[in-house]
Amino acid sequence: PFSYLINAIFGTDIQYFGWQAPALLAILLTVVVMAGFAWLVNRYIFSHLVNQEPIILFMATIGLAYFLEGVADLMWGSEIKKLDVGLPQGINDWIDQTTFEAFGYGFFIDNLDIVATIIAALLVVGLVLFSQYTKQGRALRAVADDHQAALSVGISLNFIWVLVWSIAGFVALVAGIMWGAKSGVQFSLSLIALKALPVLMLGGLIIGVGEKLFEFLIGAPYLGGATENWFAYVLALVFLVFRPQGLFGEKIIERV
């Protein structure tokens, strides 16, 4: 940490520690660090925002994300770093051969994408089961609905927010490992995390399929490509303009 800054100030060439940790141990230590960070965030930031409007919590979270990105940039530099935790990579030969025999052309699907899909599905199932069938999960949903009501029935906001940040940190760790193994560890990963906003509005399948189809049919032939970086936000904006109640929501009529 801070080797980039130390080298810039003192003209040294410090790059690495003199020792390395096994990948599994490093991941476990990172989980511990993320849990400790969750406690610090709750203790010094969100404990002061109890019962505030959702937009205030949202902006506090966004501000914290950019602050952490800047600090991390000072600590480790902005260059892309390789990550190898032993996950399988490269084209899946079985899918390529099977689709070539069936359709006349092979589908290029990376083994890492298959592993990431399986892990993502397991995470979704696990989180759904946790939120629906555990005491802590039900308490978490109660706090999300109404802070004051949750406090009135004896739910600890401190515990719930530490739990939320710990779970979010764990999910972010898994996502970072998957994406870092594919494209390297870089601070532009935060832009990918922001895609959670349109995904929450429209659903991950719509966003994922829409991005690929738009890139294939319009982006690459007519716009020079690289449309996947902004297509999700434009699609979400269109839905907000014409269906602000959501894709499957009902129109709400408010009377004053």
Side-chain angles (χ1 to χ4, degrees):
F2 295 109
S3 61
Y4 174 83
L5 189 60
I6 293 172
N7 292 338
I9 295 175
F10 298 103
T12 56
D13 190 26
I14 301 172
Q15 298 294 335
Y16 305 102
F17 285 115
W19 51 271
Q20 294 181 342
L24 181 59
L25 177 61
I27 292 172
L28 293 176
L29 290 175
T30 305
V31 171
V32 174
V33 171
M34 296 299 286
F37 175 70
W39 181 86
L40 290 174
V41 168
N42 174 69
R43 174 67 177 80
Y44 294 104
I45 298 178
F46 286 99
S47 62
H48 304 288
L49 300 177
V50 174
N51 206 38
Q52 296 293 331
E53 294 293 330
I55 186 61
I56 295 178
L57 297 173
F58 175 76
M59 293 307 299
T61 305
I62 294 294
L64 178 63
Y66 281 106
F67 171 77
L68 291 175
E69 183 175 337
V71 171
D73 198 359
L74 285 175
M75 292 180 69
W76 291 289
S78 58
E79 63 274 6
I80 299 176
K81 298 172 178 61
K82 295 177 63 176
L83 178 65
D84 183 8
V85 293
L87 294 173
Q89 299 191 47
I91 186 173
N92 187 289
D93 295 326
W94 181 83
I95 295 178
D96 180 54
Q97 182 178 356
T98 302
T99 53
F100 181 81
E101 293 174 354
F103 305 106
Y105 52 87
F107 289 175
F108 182 94
I109 299 180
D110 197 305
N111 285 312
L112 182 60
D113 292 337
I114 297 175
V115 173
T117 301
I118 295 173
I119 292 177
L122 293 175
L123 277 176
V124 170
V125 172
L127 290 173
V128 169
L129 294 175
F130 172 79
S131 64
Q132 296 290 336
Y133 299 107
T134 66
K135 179 180 178 181
Q136 292 78 12
R138 290 191 292 268
L140 189 152
R141 290 189 289 125
V143 171
D145 288 337
D146 193 317
H147 292 173
Q148 291 291 355
L151 282 170
S152 67
V153 296
I155 297 176
S156 171
L157 287 186
N158 289 330
F159 171 76
I160 292 300
W161 276 350
V162 169
L163 177 63
V164 168
W165 274 89
S166 298
I167 294 174
F170 175 74
V171 173
L173 172 63
V174 174
I177 290 173
M178 294 294 105
W179 195 270
K182 182 176 182 178
S183 303
V185 177
Q186 51 189 306
F187 293 104
S188 61
L189 287 177
S190 60
L191 298 177
I192 300 170
L194 289 177
K195 282 193 178 180
L197 298 176
V199 166
L200 285 173
M201 297 176 191
L202 305 176
L205 188 60
I206 294 177
I207 293 296
V209 174
E211 282 183 345
K212 297 300 181 183
L213 288 177
F214 187 84
E215 175 75 12
F216 178 74
L217 297 175
I218 299 177
Y222 303 108
L223 302 178
T227 61
E228 295 182 27
N229 294 328
W230 52 262
F231 174 79
Y233 305 103
V234 173
L235 185 63
L237 178 61
V238 171
F239 271 87
L240 286 175
V241 170
F242 295 101
R243 285 193 63 85
Q245 67 272 23
L247 184 61
F248 302 105
E250 297 179 357
K251 189 172 183 179
I252 300 175
I253 301 176
E254 295 184 356
R255 293 182 173 83
V256 180

